[in-house]
Amino acid sequence: MTETRITTEERCVIRELAKQVHDVSQRPDMEKKRELWFAHNDLKTTDPVVAVFPEMSWWEIIRPESLQCRSDEAREIEWLLRARLFRADVIRDDIPVENIWEVQKLISDTGWDKQNPNHKNSAFGNASYVDNCLGSVPLAWKNDFDFEARGMHFEPVIEEPDQLSRLGAPEIIYHEKETMEKLKLHQDLLGDILDVQLVGKKFLYFAMMETYSDFRGLEQVMYDVYEEPQMLHEAMAIMEEGYHRLLDQYLEMGLLTTNGNQAYNGSGGMSYTHDLPNENKVCTDLKDFWGFTESQEFTMVGPEQHWEFVQKHEKSVADRFGLTSYGCCEPVEDKLKYVLTFDCIRRISVSPWADIEKCADRIGKKTVYSWKPNPSYYLNNYKPDNTEFMEGYIKNMLNQTKNNCAEIVLKDTHTCQNDPLRFHAWVRDVRRWIDETR
């Protein structure tokens, strides 16, 4: 890790923002938001929770040119602090701003391909440091964009059954020296204002079909269901064993941090719960950890085949956790009979393409009903001065979920059309519609 130099001017900017974050975290409304999430995730309330994750829209909210700091490390810290303040003062959803400042352990891995271990992941600054999927995958997508076909070329790594022997659990690499250097920098800069804590991974997911499709190709996997079922069974068994081994490594190396607190959860939501440890400490038992899995690549595959080829393997791994979240963009209503067999299922994603009425009836109060409104409706059919369509859309969901522990999670907003204030207007309107419906 190269030496990081933060200038006196940058230090002043960052520390002033940190003081504002500290003050915001002490507001009474933040404690009310924490209490709401605890009750929600513990399935003790049917009061809807509203959460916004701007994702790519953040680049239109806090533009790079608006940052005052110039060094990369200082700019990252400044950006994160400003994002917290924007959430608290403008978005005003139900996600609380905490006084804790987490410094993540720097972790990489050698990849799933035993024949070609991806050691370059250990290069400092690689995205693997912040990649929350368990294990990196090969670059089967070639960087030669075909403008005529409007796509990129994919070359499968695994083409024949005997090539499955290439698959194996990655070896985890912890970059302790670089981590301690980063921790010291953040403690010196922020430690007297915010509670600086070193944490391992608090959010991770295992995606067997996603990982395997990156080797085999999704179209070919669909053919394999009928033409090479034994190969697909063998591949999923290898993936299951590999994910077990990955989790064992993280535990043995002390690289997981308990996450019953201010952690992102599943495909949207927060992890606050009294059913897991809700302070940051090294996780030594996965029963103290909230996991996440999905297999949206199998959206077009029927429930029985989905279970046969993927979900029974997911369940084997998911049942190691204290709590589990399931699902991303796939519609799950016809597959819930299998998802609900997971021992510790606690959050199920109800995507924009799911049948919300069937999901409401089948999920009941067994888990959190994590509804994702269609982000294109937010972008194209919602205006703060013309809310008729969005009002009907949201109220329909609210009427269907009166007996569920429901949350409304706005995400996948890859643009806000350069209008950051519309996030606040949307949250304000949704809260009014909740009051009118309940």
Side-chain angles (χ1 to χ4, degrees):
M1 180 179 181
T2 57
E3 183 180 357
T4 301
R5 297 184 182 276
I6 294 180
T7 66
T8 301
E9 292 77 10
E10 290 173 333
R11 184 179 178 87
C12 290
V13 169
I14 290 171
R15 287 178 60 80
E16 175 55 34
L17 291 171
K19 291 174 184 176
Q20 294 177 40
V21 167
H22 168 80
D23 291 344
V24 166
S25 72
Q26 305 305 305
R27 291 186 339 208
D29 63 309
M30 295 301 160
E31 183 57 32
K32 291 181 180 178
K33 292 178 180 182
R34 294 183 197 101
E35 291 173 357
L36 175 60
W37 278 103
F38 276 115
H40 173 65
N41 285 330
D42 293 345
L43 308 179
K44 293 181 179 179
T45 180
T46 56
D47 292 339
V49 179
V50 182
V52 173
F53 298 98
E55 297 180 349
M56 293 303 294
S57 291
W58 277 118
W59 299 106
E60 298 173 17
I61 296 170
I62 305 172
R63 294 181 176 277
E65 62 269 21
S66 72
L67 298 177
Q68 299 179 38
C69 296
R70 291 292 170 259
S71 66
D72 290 343
E73 184 83 9
R75 285 170 69 83
E76 179 183 3
I77 297 171
E78 179 188 357
W79 190 94
L80 291 169
L81 290 167
R82 291 190 185 280
R84 290 195 190 188
L85 294 172
F86 185 86
R87 178 179 296 285
D89 297 333
V90 181
I91 296 179
R92 298 184 186 177
D93 62 358
D94 289 324
I95 298 178
V97 171
E98 298 286 0
N99 188 53
I100 296 173
W101 183 262
E102 296 178 345
V103 177
Q104 295 186 358
K105 294 180 179 180
L106 301 177
I107 304 166
S108 64
D109 62 70
T110 59
W112 282 88
D113 190 348
K114 294 190 294 184
Q115 183 172 312
N116 184 28
N118 193 8
H119 288 295
K120 65 183 180 181
N121 272 356
S122 62
F124 192 80
N126 186 277
S128 177
Y129 281 136
V130 294
D131 182 7
N132 293 299
C133 188
L134 285 176
S136 56
V137 295
L139 297 178
W141 293 98
K142 302 304 177 184
N143 294 322
D144 52 346
F145 190 86
D146 186 332
F147 287 94
E148 183 175 346
R150 301 185 68 81
M152 295 177 70
H153 180 61
F154 177 87
E155 292 183 5
V157 176
I158 293 178
E159 299 183 279
E160 302 294 337
D162 60 4
Q163 293 178 312
L164 290 174
S165 60
R166 293 180 62 165
L167 292 176
E171 295 299 318
I172 302 301
I173 304 166
Y174 172 40
H175 305 273
E176 184 174 12
K177 178 176 180 292
E178 294 86 349
T179 295
M180 292 301 105
E181 291 174 354
K182 183 176 182 179
L183 177 62
K184 183 179 185 304
L185 183 149
H186 286 240
Q187 285 176 330
D188 291 346
L189 183 61
L190 300 171
D192 61 331
I193 304 172
L194 303 176
D195 182 6
V196 177
Q197 298 184 13
L198 178 65
V199 299
K201 283 185 176 289
K202 295 182 63 178
F203 172 81
L204 51 79
Y205 72 100
F206 58 97
M208 296 182 183
M209 187 49 62
E210 176 185 344
T211 302
Y212 181 59
S213 295
D214 282 336
F215 282 91
R216 179 71 166 150
L218 182 58
E219 182 178 357
Q220 186 58 56
V221 169
M222 295 297 101
Y223 283 112
D224 289 346
V225 171
Y226 298 97
E227 297 178 353
E228 292 282 359
Q230 188 54 43
M231 178 181 178
L232 187 52
H233 280 304
E234 184 179 348
M236 290 300 100
I238 292 171
M239 299 305 301
E240 177 187 332
E241 180 182 358
Y243 279 116
H244 278 300
R245 175 59 189 141
L246 272 170
L247 290 170
D248 290 341
Q249 289 182 70
Y250 279 115
L251 288 173
E252 292 163 3
M253 299 172 71
L255 298 179
L256 298 181
T257 296
T258 53
N259 61 350
N261 50 22
Q262 69 282 2
Y264 183 83
N265 184 272
S267 57
M270 299 299 288
S271 293
Y272 295 91
T273 176
H274 292 298
D275 293 330
L276 298 174
N278 45 67
E279 71 281 355
N280 286 335
K281 64 178 183 178
V282 174
C283 179
T284 59
D285 185 342
L286 286 175
K287 291 302 179 185
D288 291 335
F289 201 89
W290 196 324
F292 168 44
T293 186
E294 51 84 13
S295 49
Q296 57 189 346
E297 292 75 17
F298 253 40
T299 292
M300 66 285 290
V301 176
E304 285 69 31
Q305 289 176 312
H306 197 146
W307 168 262
E308 176 188 355
F309 286 103
V310 187
Q311 283 182 322
K312 65 182 182 182
H313 298 286
E314 294 172 334
K315 183 179 184 323
S316 169
V317 180
D319 285 353
R320 295 183 63 179
F321 294 101
L323 295 174
T324 300
S325 295
Y326 191 93
C328 191
C329 291
E330 66 271 38
V332 295
E333 60 269 13
D334 293 329
K335 301 176 182 181
L336 287 172
K337 64 179 179 179
Y338 295 113
V339 176
L340 290 169
T341 67
F342 285 38
D343 288 352
C344 299
I345 189 70
R346 182 58 65 86
R347 174 176 269 106
I348 294 177
S349 176
V350 181
S351 78
W353 301 277
D355 186 313
I356 60 174
E357 183 177 2
K358 288 181 179 178
C359 286
D361 180 61
R362 295 168 186 176
I363 292 174
K365 294 181 181 178
K366 302 182 186 83
T367 80
V368 170
Y369 182 109
S370 184
W371 183 58
K372 317 306 195 305
N374 193 319
S376 68
Y377 294 168
Y378 167 75
L379 293 172
N380 300 314
N381 299 87
Y382 170 74
K383 302 293 187 294
D385 59 349
N386 183 11
T387 64
E388 181 179 358
F389 174 85
M390 183 62 71
E391 179 178 359
Y393 180 58
I394 298 292
K395 282 188 173 180
N396 177 55
M397 175 269 179
L398 291 170
N399 283 322
Q400 299 289 347
T401 59
K402 287 184 177 180
N403 296 316
N404 298 95
C405 301
E407 61 190 21
I408 301 175
V409 180
L410 181 64
K411 63 190 296 289
D412 297 313
T413 54
H414 298 300
T415 177
C416 60
Q417 298 181 343
N418 293 307
D419 182 14
L421 294 181
R422 69 160 42 205
F423 283 113
H424 167 71
W426 186 84
V427 170
R428 178 200 62 206
D429 289 337
V430 169
R431 287 215 171 100
R432 186 179 74 253
W433 299 330
I434 290 172
D435 291 339
E436 293 171 354
T437 304
R438 295 283 157 159

